[in-house]
Amino acid sequence: VSEITNPSVSAAGIQKGDVITAIDDKKLTSSAVISEYLLTKKPGDTVTVSVSRALSNETFTATVTLIELKTA
């Protein structure tokens, strides 16, 4: 995770530097896989993410609600 723009992500405890390893039990092998999967969703949908925090070797799951990103 390099940037957090969704308040639901922050509320779930996800931080910069965390690594998302799966979304809705779909293992992620690249950022392209994340993008492709999220294109099948719409704002307001919820997804469950599996997260790894390298500095503490902690892993956890969190449910987040998707939002529409505003483009400049």
Side-chain angles (χ1 to χ4, degrees):
V1 175
S2 61
E3 183 178 5
I4 298 175
T5 57
N6 182 338
S8 133
V9 172
S10 296
I14 299 170
Q15 302 173 359
K16 285 184 180 180
D18 288 350
V19 177
I20 298 172
T21 58
I23 298 179
D24 292 339
D25 294 324
K26 179 177 180 63
K27 293 213 182 251
L28 303 177
T29 55
S30 71
S31 58
V33 173
I34 296 171
S35 297
E36 288 172 15
Y37 183 74
L38 292 178
L39 286 173
T40 69
K41 302 294 182 181
K42 61 183 184 294
D45 285 351
T46 58
V47 295
T48 300
V49 294
S50 298
V51 180
S52 175
R53 184 164 292 149
L55 294 177
S56 66
N57 290 323
E58 178 184 3
T59 59
F60 61 96
T61 58
T63 301
V64 298
T65 302
L66 301 177
I67 62 170
E68 184 172 353
L69 292 177
K70 305 221 183 316
T71 57

